Amino acid sequence: TDHDMKLYFPALVQMPLGTGNDLAGVLGWGRAVPNPNDRQKIIAKWIGDALDGTRSVRLFDVWGIFPKDGDMKLCQLESINTERPDRPKFSEPGASVPFLSLLYVSMGFEAFVASQFELNRKDGRLANFVEYAKQIGAGLLGARRGNVNLTGVKVETLDGVQFFPPPDKESDTSDEYISLGFMNINSYSGGNISAVDAALFDDGRMDVFRQRDWIANELRRGGKTPTVKVEGISVDVPDTLPGVFCQYDGEARYAFCPQGKEFGMDIRRVMVIPVVIGPALSSQEAFRTSCGWVEYENMDSLAGQNEGEIPADYIDECKSLCERHDW
């Protein structure tokens, strides 16, 4: 009932039945569940762990996407003509969670790959990974590459600091980039991409990124992406672009303005929800809690009490933490 929901908001557990399963992987519930017909005992144990009332619960940031001025609309990719790959065909989008993101949001290359993948989804998880690889190649090297265009797109933090294009450049370099977005969890594309400074799902900040060369980044950093931690962003798409491919939590869409005008969106945290930590994280030395603490399970500060700390990135943050905890 509504009354029960108000008093006892249910904690989230994800059974990893999809392809990437980034959320389940980050929360310690695994990247895949075996075929129930073959591994009934394993499935039963997984469900038993999920229903175990003694499991740890953490708070989890949820981000809201707010279109500006009501001019932004969404559609989804329907097909691409091999003879005219620069003119994709779109259709009305299917149902999805409306403008809420738990995992990540991106515009450009990864969103275009996700859009193509949705047209060619397979039955098996391994076959889907193979299909993803095919679409990555097509998006990077083929004639379809022209569908990825971020020229003129601007991104600022909610307090007005420019993030994209990079403010340290003398001219607009947005046309040199293939993707931008943010991570709320430290896992993207089935765990193949993560942040250099790990993205934390309970710190009240998103980890924004921009990427110029996907292949070079993979070779140089092994899937580790440099990010900047901010409390929210404002995105503006110019009227010189027909629209942009975007995706949130794997839902691939194409954003545009029917009147051909500039459009945009603000993204900021709108709520926190409880999530259940799975058994795969129990053996890790440290993890972030909902209060900003990093807890070290195998290091005792006092008898029976785990050692912990609260990281601070700058002096004002350190002061506010001391005031909050009366230190």
Side-chain angles (χ1 to χ4, degrees):
T1 65
D2 290 342
H3 179 69
D4 291 335
M5 287 286 286
K6 184 177 181 179
L7 294 178
Y8 312 106
F9 193 91
L12 176 67
V13 180
Q14 184 202 356
M15 179 174 280
L17 298 175
T19 300
N21 298 315
D22 290 291
L23 180 60
V26 165
L27 296 182
W29 294 103
R31 292 280 176 179
V33 170
N35 188 321
N37 295 324
D38 300 331
R39 304 286 182 86
Q40 293 186 10
K41 290 184 178 180
I42 296 179
I43 299 296
K45 183 181 184 305
W46 191 99
I47 294 176
D49 287 335
L51 297 177
D52 184 353
T54 64
R55 300 223 63 83
S56 297
V57 175
R58 298 286 183 266
L59 292 183
F60 191 99
D61 296 329
V62 179
W63 302 87
I65 304 169
F66 298 88
K68 298 180 180 179
D69 302 324
D71 289 330
M72 187 182 83
K73 304 296 182 182
L74 297 177
C75 58
Q76 67 183 27
L77 183 65
E78 180 177 299
S79 63
I80 293 183
N81 189 328
T82 55
E83 296 181 359
R84 292 301 304 271
D86 61 329
R87 293 189 178 182
K89 184 178 180 181
F90 297 98
S91 63
E92 184 176 344
S96 66
V97 176
F99 296 124
L100 288 177
S101 174
L102 279 72
L103 313 182
Y104 35 67
V105 172
S106 72
M107 303 173 65
F109 170 69
E110 290 94 346
F112 180 54
V113 169
S115 292
Q116 295 183 99
F117 170 75
E118 288 299 326
L119 300 178
N120 300 278
R121 184 181 288 274
K122 309 301 181 184
D123 291 333
R125 189 166 184 263
L126 180 58
N128 279 328
F129 274 119
V130 173
E131 184 61 35
Y132 255 120
K134 288 169 57 179
Q135 299 305 334
I136 287 173
L140 285 174
L141 306 173
R144 302 178 183 182
R145 169 67 175 82
N147 290 295
V148 178
N149 189 353
L150 298 177
T151 304
V153 174
K154 295 182 179 179
V155 178
E156 292 183 346
T157 64
L158 294 183
D159 53 1
V161 178
Q162 182 174 323
F163 173 76
F164 183 85
D168 56 345
K169 305 295 183 182
E170 295 182 357
S171 59
D172 185 351
T173 58
S174 57
D175 59 330
E176 300 177 8
Y177 286 79
I178 64 172
S179 70
L180 60 91
F182 76 86
M183 289 182 278
N184 186 44
I185 62 174
N186 200 42
S187 179
Y188 188 15
S189 188
N192 293 309
I193 300 175
S194 58
V196 173
D197 183 7
L200 302 170
F201 57 72
D202 63 354
D203 63 349
R205 296 181 291 178
M206 59 171 64
D207 287 59
V208 291
F209 65 86
R210 54 184 181 244
Q211 190 158 249
R212 179 186 285 110
D213 190 329
W214 192 87
I215 296 177
N217 186 64
E218 286 291 311
L219 295 175
R220 185 184 307 120
R221 301 187 179 92
K224 296 287 186 179
T225 299
T227 62
V228 177
K229 297 180 183 294
V230 302
E231 295 182 352
I233 55 175
S234 178
V235 182
D236 290 299
V237 179
D239 56 11
T240 52
L241 290 180
V244 290
F245 281 95
C246 57
Q247 65 84 21
Y248 52 105
D249 294 358
E251 292 287 346
R253 297 290 186 263
Y254 187 81
F256 69 103
C257 175
Q259 294 78 28
K261 299 188 300 183
E262 176 181 316
F263 66 92
M265 66 194 84
D266 292 330
I267 306 177
R268 59 181 181 269
R269 191 175 70 166
V270 292
M271 69 178 84
V272 292
I273 61 174
V275 294
V276 183
I277 301 300
L281 286 191
S282 298
S283 60
Q284 289 192 357
E285 182 182 68
F287 53 86
R288 181 68 70 99
T289 75
S290 59
C291 297
W293 285 86
V294 173
E295 181 178 350
Y296 297 88
E297 290 193 315
N298 298 322
M299 300 173 62
D300 289 342
S301 57
L302 297 173
Q305 296 185 17
N306 293 328
E307 186 172 305
E309 66 177 4
I310 303 183
D313 296 326
Y314 47 91
I315 190 65
D316 287 339
E317 183 182 16
C318 181
K319 291 178 181 177
S320 66
L321 288 170
C322 290
E323 292 173 354
R324 182 189 308 169
H325 295 279
D326 195 26
W327 290 338

